[in-house]
Amino acid sequence: MIPEIEKASLQEIQTFQEGKLQELLSYVNTNSKYYKRVFNEKNIDLNAIKTLDDLAKLPVTTKDDLQQYNDDFLCVPKSKIIDYVTTSGTLGDPVTFALTDKDLDRLAYNEAISFACAGITANDVLQLTTTIDRRFMAGLAYFLGVRKLGAGIIRVGAGVPELQWDSILKFKPSYLIVVPSFLLKLIEYAKQHNIDVNTSGIKGAICIGESLRNQDFTLNTLAQKITSQWDIELFSTYASTEMNTAFTECEAQQGGHHHPELIIVEILDDNNQPVPKNHVGELTITTLGVEGMPLLRFKTGDMVKAHTNACTCGRNTLRLGPVIGRKKQMIKYKGTTLYPPAMDNILNDFNDVQSYVIEISHNNIGTDEICIKIASKNTSEEVQHRIKDHFRAKLRVSPKIEFHDSKTIQKLQFPKMSRKPILVIDKRK
């Protein structure tokens, strides 16, 4: 189930996208209060935007724009809205997205081809271990995508290892849709209750919300911990509410595939110019086929690298490497620039570390400080020294380490209204 456009030549893909871009510009100029205003204020001649390179003539859209003018992005009357979702608000106020019936169909198509990308077929049954409620787009998208693919789905929702295992043993799903660190909790529960994970029938996991791979696509520490105990395939996915689109690994597991019928991708530098090939930049997207709230040149805030060499699966689309970090969460610490995901990988190396949050703040001289708050089975000085030594060896920095009980960390990770764990608390202004 590879869409023909994804097997087309790069030139054919570009021509196809340029046609879709023309349709989008006409649509938002007619229906979007926000973009109509921007085009007028900036004296933008839409007739001069013919190619993908011409996108550079358009201003970017930022998260701040979305937060400030949220309702002005809406392109349809309220009577056409079927579903309301909100972003998680990890880096600021949540933004509301309104979806039409057509948008829900597009969401279903996106997830169906994403699952198919990972080798899932109509003969599979998937167990959903994320929430489908609380205005969360992802859970709804997974449900719609599995249904469109013709596979079966078991909606268990977040948490509760006992209920997850009850469903696995009862209904025999072949795949889990899951946050990877939760797989460790399922493994732990299975050990305590004499369940053999490797005879459970689970073939693989579609993983969300946490990175599984290093930049060279080898498994990171978290993924190695999982696969050393549970012989399953792990597939990375990357998506966001604003994109209405997912980048999912195929069976070659060399990055998340771009679906050119759904989204235009740019990787930009700080001056909103394309970065050179094989360089890291900020993922910037233009949505195609979105009816309710389409976006033009939206800067996601995620720092990534694009891979354009041919993939063995037959798709000619670019692939995104693992997210290096959020641009706003970049830390300059004692002469070193780093992002929180680099610290996740180090903390996952320690079996004693049960849970943690990374707290970033400014000190009294205005430079960045890192404090890692940890719930651990072992709070000895020796463990603290080992963690600090590991940080020095891997990242050349040694953050402050604090031990807390697991309830304190749980409260920090799951503030009120949160739909997913918060691992980074940024107190900088």
Side-chain angles (χ1 to χ4, degrees), residues 90-163:
T90 311
L91 296 177
D93 294 330
V95 171
T96 298
F97 275 82
L99 286 84
T100 66
D101 215 27
K102 188 180 166 192
D103 292 336
L104 291 175
D105 286 343
R106 180 187 175 283
L107 205 56
Y109 169 79
N110 160 70
E111 285 302 340
I113 60 173
S114 294
F115 287 134
C117 200
I120 295 169
T121 72
N123 297 322
D124 285 302
V125 175
L126 292 88
Q127 182 156 313
L128 181 60
T129 75
T130 64
T131 184
I132 197 169
D133 55 4
R134 303 179 77 172
R135 306 195 304 249
F136 190 41
M137 179 184 272
L140 175 65
Y142 296 133
F143 177 77
L144 294 173
V146 171
R147 186 167 176 259
K148 183 160 186 70
L149 188 63
I153 188 161
I154 306 153
R155 291 177 295 109
V156 179
V160 201
E162 185 179 359
L163 183 57

Side-chain angles (χ1 to χ4, degrees), residues 25 54 77 101 121 124 250 258 302-303 346 398 420 425:
L25 290 172
D54 291 337
D101 215 27
T121 72
D124 285 302
C250 68
H258 169 219
D302 290 324
M303 304 302 286
I346 289 169
S398 176
K420 56 187 182 185
I425 298 169

Side-chain angles (χ1 to χ4, degrees), residues 234-290:
L234 301 178
F235 293 92
S236 284
T237 67
Y238 164 72
S240 73
T241 304
E242 295 94 342
M243 296 194 299
N244 281 238
T245 313
F247 293 78
T248 303
E249 286 183 331
C250 68
E251 289 168 279
Q253 299 179 332
Q254 294 289 302
H257 275 281
H258 169 219
H259 301 306
E261 63 272 52
L262 299 177
I263 201 165
I264 295 170
V265 170
E266 299 174 87
I267 314 283
L268 301 182
D269 63 18
D270 288 345
N271 301 314
N272 299 328
Q273 296 301 309
V275 298
K277 198 174 177 180
N278 297 322
H279 279 60
V280 173
E282 184 174 358
L283 178 68
T284 303
I285 59 96
T286 295
T287 55
L288 300 175
V290 172

Side-chain angles (χ1 to χ4, degrees), residues 18-19 24 27 39-40 50 81 147 185 200 203 225 257 267 288 307 324 330 369 413 422:
E18 286 169 352
L24 172 65
Y27 181 76
F39 296 157
N40 286 334
K50 302 284 187 197
I81 299 168
R147 186 167 176 259
K185 289 196 168 81
S200 62
K203 292 191 289 190
K225 261 186 172 176
H257 275 281
I267 314 283
L288 300 175
H307 297 263
I324 291 158
M330 185 179 82
E369 286 292 342
Q413 281 190 349
I422 305 293

